[in-house]
Amino acid sequence: MMKPAVDVVYRDLDSSAALNEIILKKLEKLSRFTDQIVHSRVVLDTPHHHKHKGKQYRASIELDFKGHPLAITQDDESIHVAVRDAFSSAERKIKQLVARQRNSR
């Protein structure tokens, strides 16, 4: 079983070993649903255009799914919640793609 290559990019926030660990675990879980993730990139940043109170974090996941690039973005006041929700969404989309491929054979 080949592990998909992953880049975790932090913009305007300090990199966190704990978050890296969570992201790697979640990516491993995604690759259990399919072996078609060729590459994945997770970008964590703080978008600046929010004027309302509280800091917003953004987690973006880009998955290179054979023939289907998949991009998911999630904002939240907690970077951990943003990451968790982005991965839940990615998991749903991957399951849909896998089901569609099965049905089209």
mmCIF file of all heavy atoms in Angstrom, residues 27-66:
data_model
loop_
_atom_site.group_PDB
_atom_site.id
_atom_site.type_symbol
_atom_site.label_atom_id
_atom_site.label_comp_id
_atom_site.label_asym_id
_atom_site.label_seq_id
_atom_site.Cartn_x
_atom_site.Cartn_y
_atom_site.Cartn_z
ATOM 1 N N LEU A 27 -5.733 11.747 6.446
ATOM 2 C CA LEU A 27 -5.416 11.403 5.055
ATOM 3 C C LEU A 27 -5.282 9.899 4.894
ATOM 4 O O LEU A 27 -5.698 9.335 3.883
ATOM 5 C CB LEU A 27 -4.131 12.103 4.614
ATOM 6 C CG LEU A 27 -4.315 13.566 4.220
ATOM 7 C CD1 LEU A 27 -2.976 14.264 4.106
ATOM 8 C CD2 LEU A 27 -5.088 13.683 2.908
ATOM 9 N N GLU A 28 -4.699 9.246 5.894
ATOM 10 C CA GLU A 28 -4.590 7.787 5.834
ATOM 11 C C GLU A 28 -5.976 7.168 5.792
ATOM 12 O O GLU A 28 -6.218 6.200 5.080
ATOM 13 C CB GLU A 28 -3.816 7.257 7.049
ATOM 14 C CG GLU A 28 -2.338 7.169 6.789
ATOM 15 C CD GLU A 28 -1.549 6.791 8.032
ATOM 16 O OE1 GLU A 28 -2.070 6.003 8.864
ATOM 17 O OE2 GLU A 28 -0.418 7.282 8.169
ATOM 18 N N LYS A 29 -6.893 7.741 6.580
ATOM 19 C CA LYS A 29 -8.264 7.232 6.593
ATOM 20 C C LYS A 29 -8.893 7.400 5.208
ATOM 21 O O LYS A 29 -9.551 6.488 4.714
ATOM 22 C CB LYS A 29 -9.073 7.975 7.651
ATOM 23 C CG LYS A 29 -10.450 7.390 7.836
ATOM 24 C CD LYS A 29 -11.240 8.115 8.913
ATOM 25 C CE LYS A 29 -12.665 7.586 8.955
ATOM 26 N NZ LYS A 29 -13.584 8.510 9.603
ATOM 27 N N LEU A 30 -8.650 8.559 4.573
ATOM 28 C CA LEU A 30 -9.204 8.782 3.233
ATOM 29 C C LEU A 30 -8.656 7.759 2.253
ATOM 30 O O LEU A 30 -9.371 7.263 1.394
ATOM 31 C CB LEU A 30 -8.859 10.189 2.729
ATOM 32 C CG LEU A 30 -9.550 11.376 3.384
ATOM 33 C CD1 LEU A 30 -9.139 12.661 2.677
ATOM 34 C CD2 LEU A 30 -11.056 11.227 3.377
ATOM 35 N N SER A 31 -7.370 7.431 2.383
ATOM 36 C CA SER A 31 -6.788 6.512 1.404
ATOM 37 C C SER A 31 -7.256 5.079 1.636
ATOM 38 O O SER A 31 -6.994 4.208 0.825
ATOM 39 C CB SER A 31 -5.262 6.622 1.377
ATOM 40 O OG SER A 31 -4.728 6.465 2.658
ATOM 41 N N ARG A 32 -7.979 4.834 2.750
ATOM 42 C CA ARG A 32 -8.584 3.511 2.923
ATOM 43 C C ARG A 32 -9.797 3.337 2.019
ATOM 44 O O ARG A 32 -10.151 2.220 1.671
ATOM 45 C CB ARG A 32 -9.024 3.311 4.377
ATOM 46 C CG ARG A 32 -7.918 2.746 5.231
ATOM 47 C CD ARG A 32 -8.428 2.453 6.626
ATOM 48 N NE ARG A 32 -7.610 3.169 7.585
ATOM 49 C CZ ARG A 32 -8.052 3.682 8.734
ATOM 50 N NH1 ARG A 32 -9.321 3.554 9.062
ATOM 51 N NH2 ARG A 32 -7.226 4.309 9.536
ATOM 52 N N PHE A 33 -10.442 4.445 1.668
ATOM 53 C CA PHE A 33 -11.630 4.357 0.807
ATOM 54 C C PHE A 33 -11.237 4.161 -0.648
ATOM 55 O O PHE A 33 -12.000 3.651 -1.439
ATOM 56 C CB PHE A 33 -12.482 5.623 0.915
ATOM 57 C CG PHE A 33 -12.973 5.873 2.311
ATOM 58 C CD1 PHE A 33 -12.569 6.992 3.004
ATOM 59 C CD2 PHE A 33 -13.834 4.983 2.935
ATOM 60 C CE1 PHE A 33 -13.011 7.217 4.298
ATOM 61 C CE2 PHE A 33 -14.279 5.206 4.227
ATOM 62 C CZ PHE A 33 -13.864 6.324 4.911
ATOM 63 N N THR A 34 -10.050 4.613 -0.995
ATOM 64 C CA THR A 34 -9.635 4.544 -2.392
ATOM 65 C C THR A 34 -8.116 4.544 -2.472
ATOM 66 O O THR A 34 -7.445 5.104 -1.613
ATOM 67 C CB THR A 34 -10.169 5.762 -3.177
ATOM 68 O OG1 THR A 34 -9.630 5.702 -4.501
ATOM 69 C CG2 THR A 34 -9.749 7.077 -2.555
ATOM 70 N N ASP A 35 -7.590 3.905 -3.507
ATOM 71 C CA ASP A 35 -6.135 3.944 -3.693
ATOM 72 C C ASP A 35 -5.800 4.922 -4.810
ATOM 73 O O ASP A 35 -4.730 4.872 -5.388
ATOM 74 C CB ASP A 35 -5.600 2.553 -4.019
ATOM 75 C CG ASP A 35 -6.302 1.954 -5.226
ATOM 76 O OD1 ASP A 35 -7.163 2.647 -5.825
ATOM 77 O OD2 ASP A 35 -6.000 0.810 -5.576
ATOM 78 N N GLN A 36 -6.749 5.796 -5.134
ATOM 79 C CA GLN A 36 -6.555 6.670 -6.283
ATOM 80 C C GLN A 36 -6.101 8.081 -5.932
ATOM 81 O O GLN A 36 -6.050 8.939 -6.791
ATOM 82 C CB GLN A 36 -7.837 6.739 -7.100
ATOM 83 C CG GLN A 36 -8.236 5.385 -7.633
ATOM 84 C CD GLN A 36 -9.380 5.489 -8.602
ATOM 85 O OE1 GLN A 36 -9.664 6.548 -9.149
ATOM 86 N NE2 GLN A 36 -10.053 4.390 -8.814
ATOM 87 N N ILE A 37 -5.804 8.312 -4.648
ATOM 88 C CA ILE A 37 -5.296 9.635 -4.292
ATOM 89 C C ILE A 37 -3.797 9.639 -4.583
ATOM 90 O O ILE A 37 -3.032 8.931 -3.940
ATOM 91 C CB ILE A 37 -5.571 9.963 -2.817
ATOM 92 C CG1 ILE A 37 -7.080 9.951 -2.552
ATOM 93 C CG2 ILE A 37 -4.985 11.326 -2.460
ATOM 94 C CD1 ILE A 37 -7.455 9.998 -1.089
ATOM 95 N N VAL A 38 -3.419 10.416 -5.578
ATOM 96 C CA VAL A 38 -2.033 10.430 -6.008
ATOM 97 C C VAL A 38 -1.220 11.398 -5.150
ATOM 98 O O VAL A 38 -0.084 11.131 -4.789
ATOM 99 C CB VAL A 38 -1.939 10.883 -7.486
ATOM 100 C CG1 VAL A 38 -0.538 10.644 -8.014
ATOM 101 C CG2 VAL A 38 -2.958 10.154 -8.326
ATOM 102 N N HIS A 39 -1.824 12.516 -4.841
ATOM 103 C CA HIS A 39 -1.107 13.527 -4.084
ATOM 104 C C HIS A 39 -2.119 14.345 -3.302
ATOM 105 O O HIS A 39 -3.243 14.530 -3.754
ATOM 106 C CB HIS A 39 -0.337 14.447 -5.039
ATOM 107 C CG HIS A 39 0.535 15.421 -4.307
ATOM 108 N ND1 HIS A 39 0.112 16.702 -4.007
ATOM 109 C CD2 HIS A 39 1.773 15.294 -3.783
ATOM 110 C CE1 HIS A 39 1.079 17.312 -3.332
ATOM 111 N NE2 HIS A 39 2.093 16.486 -3.183
ATOM 112 N N SER A 40 -1.733 14.818 -2.134
ATOM 113 C CA SER A 40 -2.640 15.687 -1.395
ATOM 114 C C SER A 40 -1.868 16.853 -0.806
ATOM 115 O O SER A 40 -0.695 16.733 -0.460
ATOM 116 C CB SER A 40 -3.371 14.924 -0.303
ATOM 117 O OG SER A 40 -2.520 13.975 0.276
ATOM 118 N N ARG A 41 -2.581 17.954 -0.722
ATOM 119 C CA ARG A 41 -1.968 19.153 -0.199
ATOM 120 C C ARG A 41 -2.981 19.792 0.740
ATOM 121 O O ARG A 41 -4.155 19.929 0.398
ATOM 122 C CB ARG A 41 -1.670 20.079 -1.373
ATOM 123 C CG ARG A 41 -0.976 21.324 -0.965
ATOM 124 C CD ARG A 41 -0.782 22.203 -2.167
ATOM 125 N NE ARG A 41 -0.614 23.518 -1.596
ATOM 126 C CZ ARG A 41 0.169 24.448 -2.062
ATOM 127 N NH1 ARG A 41 0.801 24.258 -3.120
ATOM 128 N NH2 ARG A 41 0.297 25.601 -1.474
ATOM 129 N N VAL A 42 -2.537 20.131 1.936
ATOM 130 C CA VAL A 42 -3.420 20.767 2.900
ATOM 131 C C VAL A 42 -2.826 22.140 3.213
ATOM 132 O O VAL A 42 -1.655 22.239 3.576
ATOM 133 C CB VAL A 42 -3.540 19.931 4.189
ATOM 134 C CG1 VAL A 42 -4.454 20.606 5.202
ATOM 135 C CG2 VAL A 42 -4.046 18.524 3.864
ATOM 136 N N VAL A 43 -3.628 23.175 3.011
ATOM 137 C CA VAL A 43 -3.152 24.531 3.289
ATOM 138 C C VAL A 43 -3.960 25.083 4.450
ATOM 139 O O VAL A 43 -5.188 25.084 4.420
ATOM 140 C CB VAL A 43 -3.308 25.454 2.048
ATOM 141 C CG1 VAL A 43 -2.813 26.857 2.376
ATOM 142 C CG2 VAL A 43 -2.544 24.874 0.861
ATOM 143 N N LEU A 44 -3.253 25.527 5.471
ATOM 144 C CA LEU A 44 -3.907 26.114 6.636
ATOM 145 C C LEU A 44 -3.532 27.586 6.680
ATOM 146 O O LEU A 44 -2.352 27.932 6.650
ATOM 147 C CB LEU A 44 -3.427 25.422 7.911
ATOM 148 C CG LEU A 44 -3.599 23.899 7.910
ATOM 149 C CD1 LEU A 44 -2.964 23.302 9.148
ATOM 150 C CD2 LEU A 44 -5.048 23.505 7.812
ATOM 151 N N ASP A 45 -4.533 28.446 6.702
ATOM 152 C CA ASP A 45 -4.191 29.855 6.777
ATOM 153 C C ASP A 45 -5.275 30.648 7.487
ATOM 154 O O ASP A 45 -6.272 30.099 7.951
ATOM 155 C CB ASP A 45 -3.871 30.447 5.395
ATOM 156 C CG ASP A 45 -5.069 30.439 4.454
ATOM 157 O OD1 ASP A 45 -6.127 29.940 4.843
ATOM 158 O OD2 ASP A 45 -4.928 30.931 3.331
ATOM 159 N N THR A 46 -5.041 31.942 7.590
ATOM 160 C CA THR A 46 -5.999 32.843 8.220
ATOM 161 C C THR A 46 -6.363 33.888 7.184
ATOM 162 O O THR A 46 -5.586 34.805 6.920
ATOM 163 C CB THR A 46 -5.373 33.543 9.442
ATOM 164 O OG1 THR A 46 -4.140 34.131 9.030
ATOM 165 C CG2 THR A 46 -5.087 32.566 10.557
ATOM 166 N N PRO A 47 -7.533 33.727 6.550
ATOM 167 C CA PRO A 47 -7.944 34.717 5.549
ATOM 168 C C PRO A 47 -8.114 36.074 6.224
ATOM 169 O O PRO A 47 -8.602 36.151 7.343
ATOM 170 C CB PRO A 47 -9.286 34.194 5.044
ATOM 171 C CG PRO A 47 -9.522 32.888 5.700
ATOM 172 C CD PRO A 47 -8.539 32.703 6.789
ATOM 173 N N HIS A 48 -7.674 37.129 5.545
ATOM 174 C CA HIS A 48 -7.648 38.437 6.207
ATOM 175 C C HIS A 48 -8.856 39.297 5.936
ATOM 176 O O HIS A 48 -9.009 40.340 6.530
ATOM 177 C CB HIS A 48 -6.409 39.206 5.778
ATOM 178 C CG HIS A 48 -5.152 38.567 6.266
ATOM 179 N ND1 HIS A 48 -4.853 38.467 7.601
ATOM 180 C CD2 HIS A 48 -4.146 37.963 5.603
ATOM 181 C CE1 HIS A 48 -3.697 37.836 7.739
ATOM 182 N NE2 HIS A 48 -3.252 37.510 6.543
ATOM 183 N N HIS A 49 -9.703 38.885 5.000
ATOM 184 C CA HIS A 49 -10.770 39.787 4.586
ATOM 185 C C HIS A 49 -11.988 39.721 5.499
ATOM 186 O O HIS A 49 -13.016 40.281 5.202
ATOM 187 C CB HIS A 49 -11.172 39.504 3.135
ATOM 188 C CG HIS A 49 -11.458 38.056 2.887
ATOM 189 N ND1 HIS A 49 -12.690 37.516 3.085
ATOM 190 C CD2 HIS A 49 -10.646 37.049 2.500
ATOM 191 C CE1 HIS A 49 -12.638 36.220 2.818
ATOM 192 N NE2 HIS A 49 -11.413 35.911 2.461
ATOM 193 N N HIS A 50 -11.870 39.031 6.634
ATOM 194 C CA HIS A 50 -13.000 38.984 7.566
ATOM 195 C C HIS A 50 -12.945 40.194 8.483
ATOM 196 O O HIS A 50 -11.965 40.404 9.175
ATOM 197 C CB HIS A 50 -12.948 37.710 8.414
ATOM 198 C CG HIS A 50 -13.279 36.492 7.639
ATOM 199 N ND1 HIS A 50 -14.544 36.219 7.205
ATOM 200 C CD2 HIS A 50 -12.503 35.480 7.202
ATOM 201 C CE1 HIS A 50 -14.535 35.078 6.536
ATOM 202 N NE2 HIS A 50 -13.311 34.605 6.515
ATOM 203 N N LYS A 51 -14.001 40.971 8.485
ATOM 204 C CA LYS A 51 -14.014 42.169 9.314
ATOM 205 C C LYS A 51 -14.683 41.894 10.661
ATOM 206 O O LYS A 51 -14.529 42.644 11.599
ATOM 207 C CB LYS A 51 -14.767 43.306 8.596
ATOM 208 C CG LYS A 51 -13.943 43.945 7.484
ATOM 209 C CD LYS A 51 -12.994 44.989 8.071
ATOM 210 C CE LYS A 51 -12.112 45.606 7.005
ATOM 211 N NZ LYS A 51 -10.907 44.776 6.712
ATOM 212 N N HIS A 52 -15.459 40.809 10.726
ATOM 213 C CA HIS A 52 -16.205 40.590 11.971
ATOM 214 C C HIS A 52 -15.280 40.100 13.079
ATOM 215 O O HIS A 52 -14.136 39.749 12.856
ATOM 216 C CB HIS A 52 -17.376 39.642 11.755
ATOM 217 C CG HIS A 52 -16.948 38.290 11.285
ATOM 218 N ND1 HIS A 52 -16.404 37.354 12.132
ATOM 219 C CD2 HIS A 52 -16.979 37.731 10.056
ATOM 220 C CE1 HIS A 52 -16.120 36.273 11.447
ATOM 221 N NE2 HIS A 52 -16.464 36.471 10.182
ATOM 222 N N LYS A 53 -15.817 40.063 14.265
ATOM 223 C CA LYS A 53 -15.005 39.717 15.434
ATOM 224 C C LYS A 53 -14.509 38.285 15.368
ATOM 225 O O LYS A 53 -15.126 37.423 14.747
ATOM 226 C CB LYS A 53 -15.803 39.937 16.710
ATOM 227 C CG LYS A 53 -17.077 39.101 16.762
ATOM 228 C CD LYS A 53 -17.956 39.543 17.924
ATOM 229 C CE LYS A 53 -19.212 38.708 18.019
ATOM 230 N NZ LYS A 53 -20.024 38.677 16.796
ATOM 231 N N GLY A 54 -13.412 38.054 16.035
ATOM 232 C CA GLY A 54 -12.885 36.704 16.092
ATOM 233 C C GLY A 54 -12.038 36.388 14.877
ATOM 234 O O GLY A 54 -12.305 36.845 13.777
ATOM 235 N N LYS A 55 -11.009 35.616 15.099
ATOM 236 C CA LYS A 55 -10.117 35.241 14.020
ATOM 237 C C LYS A 55 -10.722 34.073 13.271
ATOM 238 O O LYS A 55 -11.317 33.194 13.875
ATOM 239 C CB LYS A 55 -8.784 34.830 14.627
ATOM 240 C CG LYS A 55 -7.661 34.812 13.644
ATOM 241 C CD LYS A 55 -6.345 34.680 14.372
ATOM 242 C CE LYS A 55 -5.232 34.917 13.382
ATOM 243 N NZ LYS A 55 -3.930 34.993 14.001
ATOM 244 N N GLN A 56 -10.589 34.079 11.969
ATOM 245 C CA GLN A 56 -11.074 32.960 11.171
ATOM 246 C C GLN A 56 -9.876 32.167 10.672
ATOM 247 O O GLN A 56 -8.876 32.744 10.273
ATOM 248 C CB GLN A 56 -11.863 33.477 9.967
ATOM 249 C CG GLN A 56 -13.274 33.902 10.293
ATOM 250 C CD GLN A 56 -14.232 32.716 10.409
ATOM 251 O OE1 GLN A 56 -14.016 31.670 9.821
ATOM 252 N NE2 GLN A 56 -15.268 32.901 11.186
ATOM 253 N N TYR A 57 -10.020 30.880 10.688
ATOM 254 C CA TYR A 57 -8.999 30.015 10.104
ATOM 255 C C TYR A 57 -9.600 29.324 8.903
ATOM 256 O O TYR A 57 -10.805 29.123 8.834
ATOM 257 C CB TYR A 57 -8.534 28.967 11.114
ATOM 258 C CG TYR A 57 -7.790 29.569 12.265
ATOM 259 C CD1 TYR A 57 -8.425 29.824 13.462
ATOM 260 C CD2 TYR A 57 -6.447 29.905 12.125
ATOM 261 C CE1 TYR A 57 -7.737 30.388 14.526
ATOM 262 C CE2 TYR A 57 -5.747 30.471 13.169
ATOM 263 C CZ TYR A 57 -6.394 30.714 14.367
ATOM 264 O OH TYR A 57 -5.715 31.280 15.403
ATOM 265 N N ARG A 58 -8.730 28.958 7.985
ATOM 266 C CA ARG A 58 -9.202 28.260 6.799
ATOM 267 C C ARG A 58 -8.340 27.013 6.592
ATOM 268 O O ARG A 58 -7.118 27.079 6.645
ATOM 269 C CB ARG A 58 -9.098 29.175 5.585
ATOM 270 C CG ARG A 58 -9.369 28.456 4.269
ATOM 271 C CD ARG A 58 -9.568 29.440 3.149
ATOM 272 N NE ARG A 58 -10.786 30.203 3.377
ATOM 273 C CZ ARG A 58 -11.070 31.342 2.738
ATOM 274 N NH1 ARG A 58 -10.222 31.845 1.869
ATOM 275 N NH2 ARG A 58 -12.215 31.959 2.979
ATOM 276 N N ALA A 59 -9.031 25.911 6.358
ATOM 277 C CA ALA A 59 -8.343 24.670 6.001
ATOM 278 C C ALA A 59 -8.749 24.334 4.577
ATOM 279 O O ALA A 59 -9.939 24.228 4.287
ATOM 280 C CB ALA A 59 -8.742 23.545 6.948
ATOM 281 N N SER A 60 -7.779 24.200 3.688
ATOM 282 C CA SER A 60 -8.064 23.819 2.301
ATOM 283 C C SER A 60 -7.370 22.495 2.023
ATOM 284 O O SER A 60 -6.188 22.352 2.299
ATOM 285 C CB SER A 60 -7.528 24.869 1.330
ATOM 286 O OG SER A 60 -8.006 26.141 1.693
ATOM 287 N N ILE A 61 -8.136 21.575 1.485
ATOM 288 C CA ILE A 61 -7.558 20.281 1.116
ATOM 289 C C ILE A 61 -7.637 20.162 -0.396
ATOM 290 O O ILE A 61 -8.699 20.357 -0.976
ATOM 291 C CB ILE A 61 -8.363 19.112 1.731
ATOM 292 C CG1 ILE A 61 -8.525 19.299 3.234
ATOM 293 C CG2 ILE A 61 -7.684 17.779 1.427
ATOM 294 C CD1 ILE A 61 -9.466 18.275 3.852
ATOM 295 N N GLU A 62 -6.501 19.892 -1.012
ATOM 296 C CA GLU A 62 -6.491 19.634 -2.452
ATOM 297 C C GLU A 62 -6.044 18.194 -2.628
ATOM 298 O O GLU A 62 -4.949 17.836 -2.222
ATOM 299 C CB GLU A 62 -5.509 20.574 -3.155
ATOM 300 C CG GLU A 62 -5.878 22.041 -3.027
ATOM 301 C CD GLU A 62 -4.666 22.960 -3.237
ATOM 302 O OE1 GLU A 62 -3.713 22.542 -3.913
ATOM 303 O OE2 GLU A 62 -4.690 24.065 -2.690
ATOM 304 N N LEU A 63 -6.915 17.390 -3.218
ATOM 305 C CA LEU A 63 -6.581 15.990 -3.440
ATOM 306 C C LEU A 63 -6.429 15.747 -4.926
ATOM 307 O O LEU A 63 -7.275 16.157 -5.706
ATOM 308 C CB LEU A 63 -7.683 15.082 -2.892
ATOM 309 C CG LEU A 63 -7.903 15.133 -1.388
ATOM 310 C CD1 LEU A 63 -9.124 14.311 -1.021
ATOM 311 C CD2 LEU A 63 -6.694 14.646 -0.628
ATOM 312 N N ASP A 64 -5.351 15.101 -5.279
ATOM 313 C CA ASP A 64 -5.165 14.720 -6.661
ATOM 314 C C ASP A 64 -5.688 13.303 -6.796
ATOM 315 O O ASP A 64 -5.004 12.340 -6.497
ATOM 316 C CB ASP A 64 -3.680 14.785 -7.004
ATOM 317 C CG ASP A 64 -3.484 15.298 -8.405
ATOM 318 O OD1 ASP A 64 -4.463 15.227 -9.174
ATOM 319 O OD2 ASP A 64 -2.382 15.759 -8.719
ATOM 320 N N PHE A 65 -6.944 13.206 -7.187
ATOM 321 C CA PHE A 65 -7.656 11.952 -7.267
ATOM 322 C C PHE A 65 -7.614 11.594 -8.740
ATOM 323 O O PHE A 65 -8.104 12.378 -9.543
ATOM 324 C CB PHE A 65 -9.092 12.251 -6.813
ATOM 325 C CG PHE A 65 -9.908 11.055 -6.506
ATOM 326 C CD1 PHE A 65 -9.775 10.435 -5.276
ATOM 327 C CD2 PHE A 65 -10.822 10.576 -7.417
ATOM 328 C CE1 PHE A 65 -10.553 9.338 -4.972
ATOM 329 C CE2 PHE A 65 -11.593 9.467 -7.123
ATOM 330 C CZ PHE A 65 -11.459 8.848 -5.896
ATOM 331 N N LYS A 66 -7.004 10.486 -9.113
ATOM 332 C CA LYS A 66 -6.824 10.159 -10.542
ATOM 333 C C LYS A 66 -7.903 10.753 -11.443
ATOM 334 O O LYS A 66 -9.032 10.281 -11.447
ATOM 335 C CB LYS A 66 -6.771 8.646 -10.736
ATOM 336 C CG LYS A 66 -5.429 8.077 -10.386
ATOM 337 C CD LYS A 66 -5.372 6.598 -10.668
ATOM 338 C CE LYS A 66 -4.120 6.001 -10.021
ATOM 339 N NZ LYS A 66 -4.223 4.563 -9.843
#
